[in-house]
Amino acid sequence: MGAKTKNKPDKNFMLRLSNLIVDKRNLIFFLYIILVIFSAFSNNWVNVENDLTAYLPPDSATRRGLDVMAEEFVTFGTDQVMIDSITYDEAKRLSDTIAAMDGVQSVEFNDGKEHYCQSAALYSVTYDYDESDERCMEAHEAVLGALSAYDLYYTSSFENTSEEIITMEMSKIVVYVAVVVVLVLILTSQTYAEVPVLLLTFVSAAIVNMGTNFLLGTISFVSNSVTIVLQLALSVDYAVIFCNRYKEEHQTLPVRDAVVVALSKAIPEICASSLTTIGGLAAMMFMQFKIGPDMGICLIKAIILSLLSVFLLMPGLLVLFGKWMDKTVHKNFVPQIPFVGRFDYKTRFVIPPVFVLLIIAGYFFSAKCPYVYGYGSLTTPQLNDTQIAAQKIKDTFGSDNMVALVVPAGNYGKESQLLEELSNFDEVSSTLGLSNTEAMSGYMLTDKLTPRQFSELIDMDYELAELVYTAYAADKEDYGKIVGGISGYGVPLMDMFFFVYEEVQEGYVTLDDDLMDTLEDAYSQMSNGKKQLQGENYSRALIYLTLPTSGDETYAFLDTIEKTARKYYPEGDVYVVGDSSSEYDFQKTFSTDNIIISIVSILIVLAVLLFTFNSVGMPLLLILVIQGCIWINFSIPYLQNQGVFFMSYLVVSSVQMGANIDYAIVISSRYMELKDKMAKKDAIIETLNFAFPTIITSGSMMALASVLIGNLTSEAAIAGIGQSLGRGTVISILIVMFVLPQLLLLGEKWIDRTSFAISTPLKRGTWKGTTRIDGLVSGEISGRVYGVVNVVVDGDVNVNLIYGNAVNDEAEKTPAGYIEESLASRADDDVAPTRTSDADCNAVPTRTSGANASGNNGDDGNNIKMEDV
């Protein structure tokens, strides 16, 4: 042989990394087993927040008001208990029975329609303990136990069963989703044994993701519920891409080597594919409503852990199940769909204009989508026991819309005037605060009483009352009242009762038994009222509205309440807090978050696509298609006049942009690679035949999983996400299959003209001996050659290497002996598009199957001729 070059390249980094992962598979199996076992236990450490108001922006009025109330006031546990089919006399007897039970502070019940209606009784039960006190739950259970013989319905302010209910519902959903996944994988797979490989990869990633959520501190009930299902639907592509890569390489290489080469190619390909999904989810991180960052972090973590599971665990599983995959090959259940390609080609001048009109209409209709910000006007396919009870009580007795008004403490007169003014509004049915709460004999808690009035009220000796008032003035260092005469000294009734009670307890004042009983009863009631309505720095009043919880009229009146309160407290903080105020703040954040989500998700995905396609036109086209799908998706609720929970749009629009655009990428990248190699019609047909298995696999999983979530949970927020995402995924599949091809046919010239791809400089090489060439070349190989080649040449080579690799061996080798060394070159052989079809596999030079079966990496030793390429 002639002179030979000594510049033989080393194996590239991806190949070395892939070799390491495959060779250390037993260690990785061991580590994953430990990690999965740990995660199964650590999942119990996850703190779940069930209150959406906890995710309001910290500077929102409702969030600040809730923080003040939590710090300043005690909120006693309450129940609304309804007994159906009962006489009034029996209901009154039960009222007295409940009131006498330990732990019960009071029971509101009378013969008015608000408590007895249609042979049903409604008790408002208040307990002696704070909502968070375990004794409150014990008293609550005792009351329910005493009434268990009756037809009973109840709602509680403190018994939070939503986490338990959601967990039970999601467990059922996960089982259904698992069945769907197995069926889809069987129908879309080529070997039965690849199904357990994919399932083990999915399940391991899901368990590890759930088990590591405790590292995030507290997550929302939404994230805790839907992440496992969305993780499967969003990341299924990664495992399928790797599995298909392996099967392609295994046509010419034994199991281990095929896994190594496939992994080296799949890592950059899958990472690039995941960027659009992660980019769409990352947009949620910019939301003011903190449920967005919460879900964004959880889902991005889930995607990353899925990627690691595919890159680390799945290679070993493929080696382990490789022989079984060879033995369980079955016919392809996914049909070819040339009729779709033919339809798309024939309608290329019809469908695009229709689609443009459709997305314009979608834009305007989606802008009018009836978004709602609370659960009151939403219905779910499933109702849990709590929802059934609440609906029963509402249907029988109606419902109140109550908001709390928090103002600076210390001026009972201002508070009284404020509540009186608010009571004059038609939108207010009643108000309740310290200044208008009756204490005894027509006196309000904050009314100022003189010594004589106080002595007459509680039947105390007047001289003793004067002595007590004198002691009170001295305690408050109000010596002028003592000097000027104590008889005209007025003290708020509540304050005097507290002072007298303290003096009695310390032994400074002695009262007879009857007076002591009166004092203790009054002190208990006033003390409980004060704990709920007055704190160290703030006072709280309850405003009962005649307006519904949701609606622009209600939100506008909340502004009126705040404006009215600020007239009396111009310098202090004023807060209006309640379900209506929470929804009002949700509405405010939604208007901003909607814009943020749309712009950020588009920009991030656009940046990823720019570098994926090296073109300006293609990213803009794909984003227009998917954004059009989103607009069409949220036009449907408007046309159906069906409310959509605002959070559903924020979450689904991010996921749909980040995940569904992968379907468009599959079709676009394949068509752009084929359009110059065959007729346009054939290119479209081949593209859709190639893309359909990938799209139907991940798309059907996403759609079916979302539909199951939307129809099998009673939680309105979760159900809304499921329904919207399922509908959106189906729309995206239909659009990319029946609209995108026509857009590509008409827009390919524009896409090409906006390309900024940089041409690879020519590499001139002359070799003799055994040379492996992978790439696009122009020159002579014992005769002039131009084209994409994957060959081993035993002879003279004189070519221009436009892209790819050429490796010359100094020692004389047959092509069979060279193949193992050229695996590094094969790892770089990515001339084909990001996803390859079965037809592409035929372009790989065929090697003797017997050698592969025996584990030898070679062929029969004959030189490959050019006519075989």
Side-chain angles (χ1 to χ4, degrees), residues 131 169 176 195 209 255 377 440 461 569 617 636 735 795 800 829 832 839:
E131 291 181 339
E169 291 175 345
Y176 290 141
V195 175
N209 183 54
V255 171
S377 57
M440 300 172 64
D461 183 75
Y569 303 93
I636 294 176
I735 294 298
N800 290 317
D829 175 25

Side-chain angles (χ1 to χ4, degrees), residues 371-430:
Y371 296 110
V372 297
Y373 306 93
Y375 288 178
S377 57
L378 292 175
T379 57
T380 56
Q382 300 290 327
L383 292 177
N384 58 50
D385 291 342
T386 301
Q387 292 170 328
I388 293 173
Q391 189 62 46
K392 181 72 172 178
I393 293 173
K394 180 179 179 180
D395 291 342
T396 306
F397 293 97
S399 61
D400 288 326
N401 181 17
M402 183 269 289
V403 296
L405 176 61
V406 180
V407 297
N411 194 320
Y412 296 137
K414 282 186 178 181
E415 180 181 330
S416 178
Q417 293 174 15
L418 171 60
L419 294 181
E420 183 177 356
E421 182 174 348
L422 289 175
S423 297
N424 293 328
F425 284 101
D426 294 336
E427 294 86 351
V428 175
S429 61
S430 64

